[in-house]
Amino acid sequence: MKTDDLILAAHVRELAAELRQQHAYSTKKEMDTRLPPEQRESIEDYLAKYRAAHPIAKFVPEALQKLEKVSELIQDYLKANCKK
């Protein structure tokens, strides 16, 4: 593997982890609005169950799409602003 490939893989994994975390918190928040206070679980317990049920690989396609969009925006910006 080339260094660029490793860097891209690291970015994808980092973005996928962030997407999973955002989804977990929004799901927890949504559940808490529906459950009575005595049935709510701590964020740590919820996240442990969530991580087991939703592996990070599930979020990789979405992360790749987001990186692709960012890449396109950067390329458009460079084309528009770096003309000599």
Side-chain angles (χ1 to χ4, degrees), residues 14-84:
E14 186 177 313
L15 184 54
E18 186 178 320
L19 291 169
R20 178 172 69 171
Q21 190 79 354
Q22 288 174 359
H23 186 258
Y25 279 111
S26 66
T27 304
K28 170 89 169 99
K29 196 177 204 180
E30 186 181 303
M31 282 178 47
D32 284 350
T33 61
R34 293 181 291 168
L35 292 173
E38 64 275 1
Q39 289 183 352
R40 295 177 188 163
E41 57 189 329
S42 73
I43 190 71
E44 293 84 15
D45 292 341
Y46 176 78
L47 287 177
K49 290 178 186 175
Y50 185 92
R51 285 184 191 110
H54 300 281
I56 200 165
K58 175 182 176 182
F59 295 90
V60 167
E62 187 179 348
L64 284 169
Q65 286 177 339
K66 287 185 182 287
L67 280 175
E68 207 172 296
K69 287 178 187 174
V70 168
S71 177
E72 288 172 9
L73 288 172
I74 290 170
Q75 288 174 9
D76 291 346
Y77 175 83
L78 290 174
K79 285 177 188 172
N81 295 306
C82 294
K83 293 181 181 176
K84 292 183 180 179

